[in-house]
Amino acid sequence: MTTLSRTIKAPAAVASRIMPTSVRNALIAGYDIASFKASGLPPRQLRAWISPLWFDFRDTGRSQLEYFIDVAGLQPSHRVLDIACGVGRIAIPLSTYLNDEGGYEGFDIKKELIEWCQNNISARRKNFQFRVADVATTWNPEGRSSVEDYRFPYPDSTFNLAYAGSIFTHILPNGAKNYLQQTARVLKPGAPLAATWLVYNERSMRLTSTAAAVQRHWSYDCGDFRIKSKEQPEASVAHEEAAVRKMYNDAGFEILEPFRADASYNAGRIPRDRSAGMHLHYSLSILAVRRQPADEPRDVANPD
């Protein structure tokens, strides 16, 4: 938490109890403007669309950038694709790392998030571009394209790195297959995709008591994946590890072992209210590279 956030948090809490709504909203708006100027924080109501507010927006973005550089080999001159980019959590730290030879493209289904990024990030960095993805989901039911059919609006072999943060955690398998295939299409051969997934392993569940925990977080068994809610399947989707490996292989990716704790969405960031984030024990980052055209697909569903 930033010094500015700590300074304002306590009086803001008091104000929320004793001040009229109009005054409280004005204070929050002023805090949002000051926060962005001081520390690069977008408005709270926009941050809440992409992750719980108990995630530290700035630190999680910075941690992810460090991961890109240290593990995925990101260079300042690279071009980056941010899939479901939200309100600039990754774009803001990237804007201080990528140079004018590099570039960034992000897309998301929420128009208000994209507009904020255009007005506050693209306005300063012309090589940072944001688009609205007209995709139908639980949160955007009027979208014209389905997740299963959406074609990423970029040419083949464009990007040096792609990131998909907490989007495969909200996509059912057919949509996940399409997004992986689209990502492989727009990445340059040999370029990496860093993506977060909620992953469980059927064999491990049979050998340990973790089955009860998996069932508690995702009650509905759908075969190769599990969901939290029948009414809103996309709310939280956990995928079986072997099925994930097959999707990557079929899409033309080579997974770089091992699966890792994600730099942002990991158990180390569970809040004091443990019930709010225990599912993050199953949140993993998968780093994979697009295979070279001559590479032959391999059976990676059971790598041992």
Side-chain angles (χ1 to χ4, degrees), residues 128-158:
F128 276 63
Q129 297 297 316
F130 300 86
R131 306 187 191 207
V132 177
D134 195 6
V135 179
T137 71
T138 299
W139 302 276
N140 187 43
E142 304 302 319
R144 291 184 296 179
S145 298
S146 68
V147 180
E148 294 85 353
D149 297 325
Y150 182 64
R151 181 178 174 83
F152 291 3
Y154 312 105
D156 296 358
S157 302
T158 298

Side-chain angles (χ1 to χ4, degrees), residues 168-169 198-200 214 218 224-227 236-240:
F168 290 110
T169 60
L198 294 166
V199 179
Y200 64 95
V214 171
W218 302 280
D224 288 339
F225 66 102
R226 303 182 69 96
I227 59 175
S236 183
V237 185
H239 297 264
E240 208 284 325

Side-chain angles (χ1 to χ4, degrees), residues 11 21 25 32 43 47-48 51 62 72-73 87 92 94-95 97 113 115 126 139 161 181 205 210 218 231 255 262 298:
T21 300
N25 289 343
D32 288 338
R47 300 201 311 271
S51 61
R62 184 168 52 197
V87 68
I92 290 171
L94 278 172
S95 69
Y97 178 76
L113 306 186
E115 288 179 344
K126 299 304 181 184
W139 302 276
L161 181 144
Q181 291 164 358
M205 287 170 59
T210 59
W218 302 280
E231 293 73 27
I255 291 176
D262 183 62
R298 297 192 300 162

